[in-house]
Amino acid sequence: MKQVHYYYTLCLAAMLLASAACNTSADKSTSKQTATETERKWWKEAVVYQIYPRSFKDSDGDGVGDLKGIISKLDYLKSLGVDIIWLNPIYGSPNADNGYDISDYQSIMKEFGTMDDFDALLKGMHERKIKLVMDLVVNHCSDEHEWFKQSRSSRTNPYRDYFHWWPAEKGKPAFRPGSFEVDGSAWRFDSLTNAYYLHYFSYKQPDLNWENPKLREEIYSMMRSWFDKGVDGFRMDVIPFIGKDTTFPVITQKDLDEKYEGRWDVYFASSPQLHTYLHEMNEKVTSKYDVMTLAEGAGTTQKTALDLVDPARKELDMSYHFDGVNLGYMKEGFKRMDPKGYHLLEFKKIYSDWDEVFATKGWGTVYLGNHDQPRMLTRWGNDAPPYDQYSSKMLTTFILSMRGTPYYYNGDELGMRNIRFDKIEDYRDIESISEYGKVKKAGGDLQQFLNDQKIGARDNGRTPFQWDNTANAGFTTGIPWLKVNPNYLQINAAAQESDPNSTLNYFRSMVQLRKKEPTLVYGKYTLLDAQNPSVYCYTRELNGRKLLVLLNFKANTATPNTGIDLSKANVLIGNYPSPSKDGQLRPYEAVILELHVL
Ligand code: GLC
């Protein structure tokens, strides 16, 4: 059976969907929702800013970002105007996958600091009216977690059923693909008890057995302890994968193709038990607190997404999909970009269709970058001068003018871009290193792989935050755990503070605009000029107020055909010093207009 990486399979499906889309007829109103039909919630109105703690700010010179470092930048966070900070995992971890392999859910990773530091961070955020959302990684933990140490010690250990074991006397278990392992299998043989255990990610990340009620209670009580401290929510890592058919049947390629779109991630995410567990979690934990929950919607599709976030089902609040971020990768290779780039028509179709999913109920999210993605500017814009500034601001305008809670990744406000490492030795990410191993083992083209990584590798999005033009961009006084992008001499926060036209200050203005315009949060979304190959334009409408968003995604000038008379329109924001009023857009121009509706 062909083994395929989760995100890669998602990418294929996205391409198929999108190419079907290009032939569809033009404009359509994509929402039936009116202002009164959606319930107002703080997490719908918030702008979320994601901090990758390892790369944000190092306070003690060990080359790794830490909590005290974040504390020292609280005023910067406040100055951005964002409402919620999502922190990638900061728990005890041996760091096989940078904290996504947790060995102790109740402690702080040594490199990041102590629980006292955490308490001070939370207090500092709350004093500034910023909420804190943590990462919840409970599809798997670390093989160094006490539960797993116990579990593997004997077949009769009380923790045995906290994980998925397959006794070797039953033969080899049915194939399941595992990421981050050169052999590509999600099963690892453990001679100690003559059994295989399941790990959808690396062998250092054994999958937890949610069928075991004791395990579920442990997780719920751990969640409560963080909420009792005052944490404001969780982003739930690959949460759709927690429900599994634990008989581990053989699944044929035919079944995979016919029932699960040919995608392993959809198969992993499709168990009915998933919803039993999430409903139980809601009932027993999250509904008792005023918190938000976000699913990393791995394996979910436009058909299944609402099952997670329809409020009537009482499971989660929001989910994020991969259709957008997987656009433009080819079928061959690992994250290999189509040499022609991605197609804007497909991009528009994906985001419009996802808006439609939540048109009458549920709530979506919008993002273009995070710690699993390359830099937004390189991937979706144009990082070469003179276009870099404009396209960075244009993408910011997109994220902050769509319906759905915006998730904005640290450093994107500075227009940080891919570092494009030349050699595998520069990478630290388990994904790049294991995929390199796979290509090598198969005798594939390693140079081609490295070229592809210059666009797609996750480490591009993880290089240290560029604070100023001092050594190591002011991130650390030690040796940074991952190289700093040498362009920090020009691209850094300090230089941008005083420049009113910087991408940083544009981000701040855009955040303020979203906050004072409920239309940008709740307003109906309507795509216009769907077939325009250069421009993405749409209106947002709420209670008679109508805004028009015009975004030129290309380096050529372009004219959108909106059919709207712009003579009485007011410019609310634009990324050129004198924004276009007549609809003619310069390269990467972004403008939001207030229309005078009679
Ligand atoms: C999620 C995380 C990613 C991690 C993986 C395994 O996709 O976002 O960083 O590697 O889960 O935990």
Side-chain angles (χ1 to χ4, degrees), residues 7 97 100 137 140 180 201 205 235 237-238 296 371-372 458 462:
Y7 304 120
D97 184 18
Y100 283 95
V137 189
H140 45 270
F180 306 162
F201 294 90
Q205 296 163 290
R235 170 267 187 190
D237 189 64
V238 291
E296 183 194 19
H371 66 292
D372 290 331
R458 306 196 295 185
R462 298 177 177 183

Side-chain angles (χ1 to χ4, degrees), residues 194-301:
N194 192 37
Y196 297 83
Y197 67 87
L198 184 77
H199 59 86
Y200 279 173
F201 294 90
S202 86
Y203 82 93
K204 299 278 298 167
Q205 296 163 290
D207 280 38
L208 290 160
N209 178 11
W210 276 71
E211 264 184 21
N212 183 342
K214 275 202 211 136
L215 178 268
R216 300 207 299 277
E217 283 308 326
E218 297 240 32
I219 304 268
Y220 300 156
S221 105
M222 174 271 285
M223 290 173 73
R224 279 184 210 106
S225 72
W226 288 102
F227 287 146
D228 290 340
K229 265 184 173 294
V231 162
D232 301 290
F234 279 117
R235 170 267 187 190
M236 304 190 179
D237 189 64
V238 291
I239 199 72
F241 294 175
I242 61 174
K244 299 176 174 76
D245 180 346
T246 55
T247 64
F248 297 108
V250 171
I251 164 156
T252 60
Q253 188 66 49
K254 188 165 171 283
D255 271 0
L256 197 67
D257 289 343
E258 287 171 6
K259 298 186 189 149
Y260 306 101
E261 305 181 14
R263 290 166 47 180
W264 278 107
D265 60 314
V266 172
Y267 174 69
F268 288 169
S270 300
S271 123
Q273 295 94 319
L274 162 66
H275 299 289
T276 314
Y277 305 150
L278 291 180
H279 185 71
E280 181 183 76
M281 181 195 279
N282 182 299
E283 195 175 59
K284 294 190 166 180
V285 190
T286 53
S287 62
K288 313 272 189 229
Y289 300 85
D290 181 20
V291 292
M292 59 146 268
T293 51
L294 164 74
E296 183 194 19
T300 57
T301 62

Side-chain angles (χ1 to χ4, degrees), residues 395-409:
L395 296 170
T396 295
T397 315
F398 168 70
I399 298 174
L400 289 159
S401 64
M402 288 291 283
R403 180 160 54 183
T405 300
Y407 284 74
Y408 201 88
Y409 186 56

Side-chain angles (χ1 to χ4, degrees), residues 47-239:
V47 175
V48 183
Y49 181 81
Q50 181 191 351
I51 290 184
Y52 196 63
R54 211 173 171 75
S55 300
F56 195 61
K57 174 72 185 163
D58 175 22
S59 72
D60 59 5
D62 67 355
V64 173
D66 49 42
L67 301 188
K68 280 204 169 104
I70 302 175
I71 292 172
S72 72
K73 296 296 180 185
L74 279 173
D75 289 336
Y76 175 78
L77 299 176
K78 179 74 191 158
S79 80
L80 296 177
V82 298
D83 310 278
I84 300 176
I85 301 292
W86 153 28
L87 285 187
N88 289 97
I90 56 166
Y91 315 93
S93 166
N95 278 314
D97 184 18
N98 287 1
Y100 283 95
D101 48 321
I102 297 170
S103 52
D104 183 354
Y105 289 95
Q106 311 272 4
S107 75
I108 301 296
M109 191 189 297
K110 284 197 181 64
E111 289 167 306
F112 288 175
T114 63
M115 198 55 90
D116 285 346
D117 297 336
F118 175 81
D119 293 340
L121 175 63
L122 185 61
K123 188 163 170 277
M125 285 193 185
H126 284 171
E127 277 166 5
R128 290 167 179 80
K129 308 252 176 302
I130 299 174
K131 292 183 188 280
L132 175 59
V133 165
M134 305 266 281
D135 222 300
L136 184 80
V137 189
V138 289
N139 172 68
H140 45 270
C141 62
S142 163
D143 65 342
E144 296 180 35
H145 193 293
E146 189 56 30
W147 294 338
F148 190 74
K149 287 188 194 160
Q150 292 287 335
S151 182
R152 72 179 289 234
S153 66
S154 87
R155 286 191 180 193
T156 53
N157 186 281
Y159 288 90
R160 187 68 171 177
D161 290 342
Y162 273 45
F163 297 87
H164 300 285
W165 290 98
W166 184 271
E169 61 273 19
K170 280 171 70 182
K172 267 197 146 188
F175 176 76
R176 294 290 181 272
S179 300
F180 306 162
E181 286 302 323
V182 174
D183 73 3
S185 168
W187 292 105
R188 187 173 179 97
F189 179 68
D190 195 25
S191 59
L192 202 63
T193 55
N194 192 37
Y196 297 83
Y197 67 87
L198 184 77
H199 59 86
Y200 279 173
F201 294 90
S202 86
Y203 82 93
K204 299 278 298 167
Q205 296 163 290
D207 280 38
L208 290 160
N209 178 11
W210 276 71
E211 264 184 21
N212 183 342
K214 275 202 211 136
L215 178 268
R216 300 207 299 277
E217 283 308 326
E218 297 240 32
I219 304 268
Y220 300 156
S221 105
M222 174 271 285
M223 290 173 73
R224 279 184 210 106
S225 72
W226 288 102
F227 287 146
D228 290 340
K229 265 184 173 294
V231 162
D232 301 290
F234 279 117
R235 170 267 187 190
M236 304 190 179
D237 189 64
V238 291
I239 199 72

